[in-house]
Amino acid sequence: MRAMAIIEYTAPLALVDLPIPEVKPGFVLIRILTCGVCYSDFKTVQGKMPYSQTLKLPHVPGHEICGEVVEAKPQTGFRAGDRVIVYNYWSCGNCAMCRMGMENLCESLTAWVGFTDPGGFEEYLAVPAERLLRLPAGITPEQAAPTSCALGTSYRAVVTRAQVRPGQTVVVQGLGGVGLSSLQVARACGARALAVDIDPRHLDVSRRLGAEKSALAGEAARAMVRDFTSGLGADVVIDTVGHEESLHEAAMMTRRGGRVVGVGYVVGGFARVQTDDYVLREIEFVGSRYVQRHELERAISLLASGQVQNVVDDVLPLESANEALARLGAGKVVGRTVLRVSK
C-alpha cells in the first residue's frame, strides 16, 4: 500500500510501499479515505514531540482519520462499506486513569495512532472495533476528516472542561482548526463567542461562523472583551496557543471567578501566571487533553445536525503531504488541510 513516511527528521516525507496490516481478532481493517493535517503532525515530522528521540523510523504520521471498513468479523458489529472515524487514543483500560473513567489520560497506551504508532498517511489501517465511531450519512469524507481531533478536542475543552453554559461569554484565542471548532461548539452551547487571533484571515472566517466580535491579539482584544462585557471580562477563555504570553492575555480577558482552558502547548515550554490571578481573582486554569469516546460521539452528532462544520482549507492527494505540511508550518492554512488518501 502507498504511504507517506518519515524517513529522517531532516528530510521530507517519502512515498513508500508498505504491507497491508494484519487483521488480528477484534480488529477491523479500514481503507483510509481522508486524513486531516494537524499541527501535531507537523511537530511529529519535525522531530519536536516528547517521543521523537525514541520513535522508530520510518514512521507514518496522521491521526485525523476517516475510513471505510473493508474487512470485519460479524462480532465486531461492523460490515464492509461502513464509514467510520478513528479514535486515535488506544487506552489500556487497566491503569488507574482508565479505571477512573479518564481514558484520555491513560498511563499505558496500547497505541497512539499517528503519534507513536502508524497513522493515516497510508491507505489501510487495522483498528480495534471499539476504537471506531460510525460516520452518519451525509457527511463527506473530506468534511469528516478533522472530526476526531479538531472537533473532538474542542468539544471536550468547551463542554466538559470549560462547562460553558447558555448566555456566557466565551473568548477563543487562536483560531486554528481547534479554535474555529471551539468557537462553533461554544455557540452550540448557547454562549456568546468572541474570537482572537494574529491573522485577519482567521478573524474573517470566525465571523462567518458566528463570532459576535473579533479582534487581533493584544490590546485590541482586551478592549473588545471589556467593551462587550461592560468591563466584567469573559466567563471563559479557550487558549489554543499555549505560549506564556497567550496565557497571560487569557487571564487578562477573564472575569473574576472565570476560567481559562488551555488546549495548546509547547513541548518543554513553561508559562508563569500571576498568583493574584488565581487566588485573589479566583481564576481557574484548566488543561484539556484530546477527547473521550462518548464526547466524540456527541461532537459527531453536532456535525451531523449542521450545528458545527469542520473548516477545510484545501483537499490534496496523499502524495502532496509535504506541501500540506509546508503550508501549515508557514501559517498559510485556515482550518485544516485534508489529504485524500485512497484513490
Side-chain angles (χ1 to χ4, degrees):
M1 64 176 178
R2 296 157 46 251
M4 294 295 288
I6 306 166
I7 304 299
E8 54 182 314
Y9 293 129
T10 57
L13 296 179
L15 181 63
V16 298
D17 184 29
L18 298 176
I20 295 176
E22 174 190 358
V23 185
K24 297 182 289 188
F27 279 62
V28 170
L29 182 66
I30 67 167
R31 179 170 64 95
I32 297 175
L33 302 175
T34 54
C35 187
V37 183
C38 172
Y39 201 75
S40 293
D41 300 317
F42 179 80
K43 291 189 288 186
T44 296
V45 170
Q46 294 291 314
K48 295 179 180 178
M49 292 293 273
Y51 49 77
S52 294
Q53 297 309 308
T54 58
L55 186 63
K56 184 179 178 181
L57 302 182
H59 171 70
V60 178
H63 58 280
E64 293 186 330
I65 301 170
C66 171
E68 181 180 78
V69 173
V70 295
E71 182 180 336
K73 299 294 185 184
Q75 57 266 33
T76 65
F78 290 95
R79 298 182 300 178
D82 288 345
R83 290 194 168 182
V84 292
I85 296 294
V86 176
Y87 181 78
N88 66 62
Y89 209 67
W90 299 1
S91 50
C92 70
N94 296 316
C95 71
M97 292 295 99
C98 286
R99 292 198 303 273
M100 285 191 279
M102 301 179 185
E103 64 177 350
N104 62 310
L105 299 179
C106 176
E107 298 172 332
S108 185
L109 289 175
T110 61
W112 193 8
V113 174
F115 292 85
T116 59
D117 294 85
F121 290 12
E122 61 184 6
E123 291 183 285
Y124 293 92
L125 188 68
V127 183
E130 71 274 8
R131 306 292 157 176
L132 294 174
L133 290 90
R134 298 182 187 278
L135 182 65
I139 303 174
T140 67
E142 293 76 17
Q143 177 67 196
T147 299
S148 66
C149 179
L151 181 55
T153 298
S154 66
Y155 184 95
R156 177 171 177 81
V158 172
V159 176
T160 304
R161 302 297 283 163
Q163 300 178 23
V164 169
R165 299 290 181 265
Q168 289 187 322
T169 299
V170 176
V171 175
V172 179
Q173 182 169 247
L175 301 172
V178 172
L180 291 172
S181 293
S182 295
L183 186 147
Q184 295 178 79
V185 174
R187 291 264 302 159
C189 290
R192 308 184 72 184
L194 309 180
V196 176
D197 201 89
I198 61 173
D199 190 332
R201 298 173 306 155
H202 295 205
L203 298 179
D204 289 343
V205 173
S206 76
R207 289 190 292 271
R208 293 200 296 271
L209 294 174
E212 297 195 33
K213 296 286 184 179
S214 65
L216 293 172
E219 175 53 35
R222 296 193 295 272
M224 173 187 68
V225 175
R226 285 196 302 269
D227 292 345
F228 190 82
T229 63
S230 301
L232 179 64
D235 298 288
V236 171
V237 176
I238 306 292
D239 177 42
T240 75
V241 181
H243 295 164
E244 183 171 351
E245 182 180 352
S246 71
L247 188 64
H248 178 65
E249 289 290 322
M252 293 179 70
M253 292 186 287
T254 304
R255 66 165 171 79
R256 291 175 178 237
R259 183 172 293 155
V260 175
V261 177
V263 179
Y265 64 95
V266 177
V267 175
F270 291 86
R272 295 170 297 176
V273 298
Q274 293 180 216
T275 54
D276 58 336
D277 274 340
Y278 70 89
V279 176
L280 301 183
R281 294 177 61 211
E282 286 197 348
I283 291 178
E284 297 181 36
F285 294 90
V286 179
S288 186
R289 181 173 186 173
Y290 192 37
V291 65
Q292 296 191 23
R293 280 173 289 176
H294 71 280
E295 296 166 327
L296 184 53
E297 287 179 329
R298 293 171 185 167
I300 291 171
S301 71
L302 288 180
L303 184 65
S305 67
Q307 295 180 73
V308 303
Q309 60 179 280
N310 288 320
V311 179
V312 176
D313 187 87
D314 201 2
V315 180
L316 300 174
L318 174 64
E319 288 81 359
S320 296
N322 287 310
E323 177 186 344
L325 290 164
R327 292 186 65 237
L328 182 61
K332 296 181 178 180
V333 177
V334 179
R336 282 286 194 266
T337 296
V338 170
L339 297 180
R340 187 177 290 113
V341 178
S342 294
K343 293 182 177 179

